[in-house]
């Protein structure tokens, strides 16, 4: 079978999100056939996302039906040449944002990072919440970064996630009063002087609001997309709207809206109670024409997980863990949609 015959076969593989086959969608970069093996390069950009895994499995199955073994690689060609980029070895940058504090933004960032790592991806978690860095506590990081002879830092790892946080440098309890230019300088150093290695995803926990750190991030690194965290009440949603506008002004994709503290899952009676209202996040997403990523209930074990350093997404027996796993999968799938759309 020759290359064009293989390309024809690949027309049988549908993209689960973009509504056409992968050849028509320009997602097949290269095909070469040698004996019973076809080397195929696909324009897939969200490693370990369920939908891209599904595409890859389907490609293997379609070729196997014709007695061919598929040897797959993935590469999305996105205009930026390596030397133009900051963080050239980081494939996707996911910013986690909220309009205001206390809605669970850091909790969501930590659980998405741990959830992506659990799926098999290489993940970094960058705590850019310079005013209240608390990620090291949430994951109970027992190590601090190590300095190398070249004055770079090796980030500690937890659950397979590489971590970097202002808290490593200034301590969690020191109130940090930063002015704009300092925020810019410190954040830039933390990106550039850290040995992140190759990452499939870097999850960035932004400070709440629309201040200097957010702007530094949007101006200096290629953010693939943002997750906007809100609670269902109207006030939190008004703040989330400001966040959306900020991303809109910078042409940053929004991966979707995550609703935290949706209902209260009562450990005593087993029932769910609406405390902050219900469905606000989904409606907000719909009104703004954004994907809705999922709802996370108020569950005391989210907080104890945060205090004890074990993200609940890693707890296989927890229903709230399930909710975080769904959220993580939706985030990864939506990263894939953004990446594959660049090929159109
Ligand atoms: P933010 O980053 O938005 O300021 P945090 O993630 O630090 O918020 O969360 C604030 C507090 O609320 C933390 O103590 C956290 O453990 C707790 N929390 C967050 N989400 C939940 C939830 N779904 N159920 C219970 N507690 C939560």
């Amino acid at each position: 079978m020759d290359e064009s015959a293989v390309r024809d076969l690949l027309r049988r593989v549908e993209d689960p999100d973009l509504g056409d086959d992968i050849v028509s969608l320009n997602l097949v970069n290269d095909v070469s056939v040698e004996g019973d093996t076809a080397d195929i390069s696909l324009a897939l950009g969200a490693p370990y996302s369920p939908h891209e895994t599904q595409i890859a499995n389907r490609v293997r199955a379609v070729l196997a039906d014709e007695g061919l073994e598929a040897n797959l690689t993935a590469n999305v060609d996105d205009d930026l040449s390596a030397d133009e980029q900051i963080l050239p070895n980081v494939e996707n940058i996911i910013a986690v944002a909220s309009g205001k504090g206390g809605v669970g933004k850091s909790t969501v960032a930590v659980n998405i990072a741990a959830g992506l790592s659990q799926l098999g991806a290489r993940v970094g978690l960058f705590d850019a919440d310079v005013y209240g860095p608390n990620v090291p506590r949430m994951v109970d990081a027992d190590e601090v970064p190590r300095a190398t002879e070249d004055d770079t830092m090796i980030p500690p790892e937890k659950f397979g996630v590489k971590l970097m946080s202002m808290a490593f440098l200034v301590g969690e309890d020191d109130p940090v009063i930063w002015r704009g230019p300092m925020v810019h300088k410190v954040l830039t150093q933390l990106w550039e002087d850290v040995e992140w290695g190759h990452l499939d995803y870097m999850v960035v926990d932004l400070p709440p609001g629309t201040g200097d750190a957010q702007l530094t991030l949007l101006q200096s690194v290629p953010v693939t997309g943002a997750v906007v965290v809100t609670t269902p009440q109207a006030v939190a949603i008004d703040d989330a709207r400001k966040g959306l506008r900020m991303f809109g002004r910078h042409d940053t994709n929004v991966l979707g809206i995550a609703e935290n503290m949706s209902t209260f899952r009562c450990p005593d009676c087993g029932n769910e109670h609406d405390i902050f209202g219900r469905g606000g996040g989904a409606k907000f997403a719909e009104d703004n024409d954004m994907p809705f990523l999922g709802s996370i209930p108020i569950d005391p074990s989210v907080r104890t997980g945060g205090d004890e350093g074990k993200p609940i997404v890693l707890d296989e027996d927890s229903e709230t863990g399930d909710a975080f796993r769904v959220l993580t999968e939706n985030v990864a799938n939506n990263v894939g949609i953004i990446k594959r759309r660049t090929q159109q």
Side-chain angles (χ1 to χ4, degrees):
M1 187 170 284
D2 66 7
E3 279 139 36
S4 72
V6 168
R7 276 185 185 270
D8 273 345
L9 273 181
L10 294 176
R11 289 188 183 278
R12 295 185 197 161
V13 181
E14 287 287 315
D15 184 304
D17 300 299
L18 302 183
D20 208 341
D21 71 86
I22 60 170
V23 177
S24 306
L25 289 166
N26 205 21
L27 300 179
V28 181
N29 298 326
D30 270 314
V31 178
S32 66
V33 184
E34 226 176 278
D36 291 340
T37 307
D39 288 321
I40 301 173
S41 162
L42 297 172
L44 301 181
Y48 301 93
S49 66
H51 286 182
E52 292 198 349
T53 304
Q54 185 185 323
I55 293 175
N57 288 341
R58 178 87 183 113
V59 167
R60 287 195 193 92
V62 161
L63 269 77
D65 283 348
E66 303 296 322
L68 281 175
E69 194 186 329
N71 188 11
L72 303 183
T73 50
N75 175 41
V76 172
D77 192 8
D78 52 6
D79 299 343
L80 289 169
S81 76
D83 58 21
E84 274 178 77
Q85 270 189 38
I86 302 190
L87 300 171
N89 296 324
V90 177
E91 203 164 324
N92 295 296
I93 299 180
I94 298 171
V96 182
S98 67
K100 62 176 211 160
V103 298
K105 172 184 51 60
S106 298
T107 304
V108 169
V110 164
N111 279 281
I112 289 175
L116 288 168
S117 169
Q118 186 81 345
L119 287 176
R122 295 168 297 183
V123 183
L125 175 58
F126 182 79
D127 178 7
D129 195 343
V130 284
Y131 304 101
N134 54 8
V135 166
R137 179 180 49 79
M138 283 190 175
V139 300
D140 192 23
D142 29 26
E143 287 174 67
V144 293
R146 275 187 298 127
T148 66
E149 283 179 2
D150 314 326
D151 282 338
T152 59
M153 283 180 280
I154 300 178
E157 275 188 39
K158 193 85 192 195
F159 326 112
V161 175
K162 293 183 178 171
L163 301 171
M164 189 43 77
S165 169
M166 282 305 299
F168 289 134
L169 309 184
V170 297
E172 226 167 274
D173 300 325
D174 300 342
V176 191
I177 314 287
W178 300 97
R179 285 178 302 111
M182 289 163 76
V183 170
H184 185 96
K185 193 157 170 248
V186 164
L187 285 183
T188 313
Q189 266 175 5
L190 284 181
W191 281 308
E192 293 183 349
D193 299 345
V194 174
E195 312 262 338
W196 291 105
H198 281 269
L199 296 181
D200 297 314
Y201 301 94
M202 178 187 281
V203 178
V204 182
D205 181 14
L206 289 179
T210 49
D212 292 313
Q214 294 86 337
L215 295 181
T216 293
L217 177 90
L218 295 176
Q219 283 159 5
S220 42
V221 295
V223 175
T224 314
V227 172
V228 177
V229 182
T230 183
T231 56
Q233 312 102 299
V235 276
I237 286 184
D238 285 345
D239 286 318
R241 196 164 281 128
K242 287 188 201 135
L244 281 190
R245 259 187 249 130
M246 172 179 73
F247 292 118
R249 275 200 299 275
H250 288 269
D251 291 329
T252 302
N253 293 301
V254 175
L255 296 165
I257 311 297
E259 183 182 76
N260 188 28
M261 310 192 186
S262 312
T263 59
F264 173 58
R265 183 165 287 151
C266 174
D268 296 327
C269 71
N271 292 331
E272 293 203 356
H273 308 280
D274 297 347
I275 292 184
F276 294 130
R278 182 188 280 260
K283 176 155 188 334
F284 176 67
E286 195 186 315
D287 290 349
N288 290 282
D289 213 8
M290 301 276 167
F292 182 62
L293 298 167
S295 300
I296 310 296
I298 300 176
D299 177 343
S301 55
V302 171
R303 191 184 47 74
T304 48
D307 290 345
E308 287 159 14
K310 185 153 192 284
I312 191 142
V313 71
L314 299 176
D315 182 347
E316 294 289 337
D317 301 326
S318 155
E319 281 183 41
T320 305
D322 286 338
F324 271 117
R325 286 185 280 277
V326 169
L327 179 75
T328 303
E329 292 183 356
N330 285 336
V331 168
N333 283 335
N334 289 357
V335 166
I337 293 175
I338 287 172
K339 296 302 273 292
R340 301 201 299 286
R341 275 207 184 124
T342 63
Q343 306 301 294
Q344 308 312 300

